[in-house]
Amino acid sequence: MHARTPLAGAALLVVGAFLLSGCTAPSPSGPTASPAASTSAPLAVSTCVADPDAAIAAGKTPAPTGELPADLVATLDAAAQQAFDLGASPGAIVGVQTPEGRWTKAYGLADPKAGTAMAVGMHTRIASLTKMFTGTILLQLAQEGKLSLDDTVDQYVSGIPNGDRITLAQLADMTSGVNTYTANEDFITKYFADPSAVYTPDELVAATVEVSPAADPGERFLYSNGSTIILGETIEKVTGRPFADELDERILEPLSLTSTSWPGDSNAIPEPFARGFTLNGDAATPESPTDSTDWNPSWAWTAGEVISTTDDMLTMGRALGTGAGILDDDMQRIRLESFLDPSQSPPAPGAGGYGLAMGCGQGWVGHGGELSGYNSTMFYDTATDTTVVVQANSDIASGGCENSPTLQDDPGDEICEAPAVRIFVALSGLLGQTYAPPPRS
């Protein structure tokens, strides 16, 4: 692993951050708030997607099957390698798809101890990218008239503070005021005492309720895993079936995502997979990051359990950006126009923000995810029909980090960033507008 400047107090729980919001890992003493979370002004609709209809139309054309031009591949490869070298991850896998073709490549090691090289096709946990799958199923149910996005949550899940005023749309766009259960100190303490423990959705909701509300409904943006867990329970209540069955039937099978899976209560990852490394937990040190591959993901449920590969995520990324195969045109348009701008105070229409279980920045729609040992990004550029996916088998930040735990040596970069995010940013400007997440601290 590339080394960083050591920081004390690395007992963090990375739960999957949306990159635009500036959300970072919550600590046992509470969540690190994004700048947007400090304002009480209502959020404004963003103009991030310039032409939703053009994005939807792009999905009517088949995905490319050939390879990207060699000169573009060389440029992308050099940028990815440089960004990887600055990151704190043993390995990474990169995928790019444009109307000209597709390119994938692996860097570094999947298992440093065994010396196993990272390879395209390896599975990793994709953390909060799961939220886009959950949100898509919610929108499908609304499309079918089985629920309304304006329904209040108390119609489906009881006991949620302000549940008679919080809408399903507010849960999806993170303006419900429901706190994240990773702000619950008792939950964090219990989790780190036994990362192999299995949690039920009801336990996660209970941990969420204990620290909620954190704001009034619609008051401000507040990134919350608890909100997406409640949406998962809503989906099961409406359909009468396990979430895993809905995921298979509604997304994985229609899009032929044969290498994407839902682990449920299991900590197993399908072969082949990359081992994940983290500074989270009580035992990790900058000199010896913890191998968290086998930590049970049930605590993340519909907010972060999905496992996938680069090829599958390239397919899913384009579907999320265009709606093709998963949403009708009207519902996709609603999604692409739903983004709220949390970057200004008072908020105003701008370059990016968070929408219905998906984010947007500089025209790129998608999500980032962090879960102990893994960091992933999946974004689609609505202006150029381009999808970029990055998987990294570490969630450890690098660069000029003052608060995020890092390794020992200075990488020569003053920007603090997670490994997959760093690579995506480097590639985005070569393929469209440069994606500009706020630096981690």
Side-chain angles (χ1 to χ4, degrees):
M1 245 185 259
H2 312 295
R4 306 286 156 246
T5 304
L7 290 177
L12 300 175
L13 180 62
V14 178
V15 297
F18 171 66
L19 311 179
L20 280 166
S21 71
C23 297
T24 55
S27 73
S29 61
T32 302
S34 70
S38 64
T39 179
S40 60
L43 292 169
V45 175
S46 167
T47 56
C48 185
V49 179
D51 192 344
D53 288 334
I56 293 168
K60 312 298 184 185
T61 61
T65 57
E67 297 181 358
L68 287 179
D71 57 344
L72 177 57
V73 167
T75 300
L76 294 173
D77 186 19
Q81 182 69 64
Q82 181 180 29
F84 172 69
D85 289 342
L86 290 173
S89 180
I93 307 171
V94 175
V96 173
Q97 179 178 281
T98 81
E100 293 183 284
R102 179 180 282 203
W103 168 70
T104 57
K105 185 172 179 178
Y107 302 83
L109 298 174
D111 184 345
K113 184 176 181 180
T116 306
M118 189 70 107
V120 175
M122 284 186 168
H123 298 81
T124 64
R125 304 190 191 280
I126 64 172
S128 275
L129 275 60
T130 302
K131 291 180 173 68
M132 295 189 289
F133 291 75
T134 303
T136 297
I137 295 173
L138 178 77
L139 297 180
Q140 289 173 340
L141 293 172
Q143 180 178 291
E144 296 161 10
K146 295 178 179 177
L147 55 76
S148 168
L149 296 179
D150 294 327
D151 288 345
T152 54
V153 67
D154 64 338
Q155 298 176 52
Y156 305 101
V157 181
S158 61
I160 307 301
N162 294 327
D164 61 339
R165 295 193 291 136
I166 295 170
T167 67
L168 300 181
Q170 288 172 331
L171 288 172
D173 69 16
M174 303 293 181
T175 63
S176 68
V178 169
N179 207 352
T180 179
Y181 52 89
T182 48
N184 187 320
E185 293 185 22
D186 290 340
F187 177 86
I188 294 295
T189 300
K190 179 181 178 183
Y191 176 79
F192 280 127
D194 183 11
S196 66
V198 173
Y199 291 87
T200 67
D202 285 347
E203 288 177 310
L204 302 178
V205 170
T208 297
V209 168
E210 288 177 1
V211 292
S212 296
D216 286 335
E219 178 184 350
R220 60 182 170 95
F221 175 86
L222 176 63
Y223 189 84
S224 169
N225 288 280
S227 290
T228 313
I229 300 299
I230 295 168
L231 289 179
E233 288 212 329
T234 298
I235 288 167
E236 291 198 333
K237 179 66 176 295
V238 171
T239 64
R241 301 204 309 163
F243 180 83
D245 292 348
E246 294 298 318
L247 178 67
D248 283 342
E249 185 174 302
R250 292 176 172 275
I251 298 178
L252 305 190
E253 293 175 5
L255 295 181
S256 298
L257 303 182
T258 56
S259 295
T260 302
S261 59
W262 177 258
D265 294 342
S266 172
N267 63 356
I269 303 178
E271 296 275 4
F273 62 87
R275 303 201 69 83
F277 297 87
T278 189
L279 290 181
N280 292 338
D282 302 323
T285 67
E287 295 77 19
S288 182
T290 293
D291 183 334
S292 55
T293 309
D294 298 324
W295 288 12
N296 194 287
S298 61
W299 68 271
W301 202 48
T302 52
E305 270 207 55
V306 169
I307 296 167
S308 193
T309 64
T310 294
D311 283 340
D312 271 14
M313 286 194 285
L314 285 172
T315 299
M316 182 61 177
R318 189 172 192 251
L320 285 162
T322 65
I326 52 176
L327 293 175
D328 66 24
D329 292 355
D330 290 340
M331 186 57 70
Q332 181 65 11
R333 190 173 297 104
I334 288 171
R335 193 174 209 178
L336 293 179
E337 293 176 347
S338 70
F339 300 108
L340 306 172
D341 187 357
S343 65
Q344 300 183 41
S345 181
Y354 202 88
L356 293 170
M358 187 163 69
C360 185
Q362 292 75 46
W364 294 92
V365 296
H367 221 291
E370 295 178 21
L371 186 149
S372 295
Y374 299 95
N375 176 216
S376 300
T377 61
M378 177 168 65
F379 280 87
Y380 174 83
D381 183 17
T382 53
T384 63
D385 189 22
T386 296
T387 311
V388 179
V389 168
V390 184
Q391 299 167 270
N393 57 336
S394 162
D395 63 316
I396 302 170
S398 65
C401 305
E402 297 179 0
N403 297 317
S404 299
T406 58
L407 303 184
Q408 290 182 322
D409 298 332
D410 183 354
D413 189 344
E414 64 183 15
I415 297 175
C416 176
E417 210 60 88
V421 181
R422 184 180 292 280
I423 296 171
F424 169 56
V425 171
L427 296 176
S428 64
L430 301 173
L431 297 162
Q433 291 192 60
T434 300
Y435 179 75
R440 291 172 59 135
S441 59

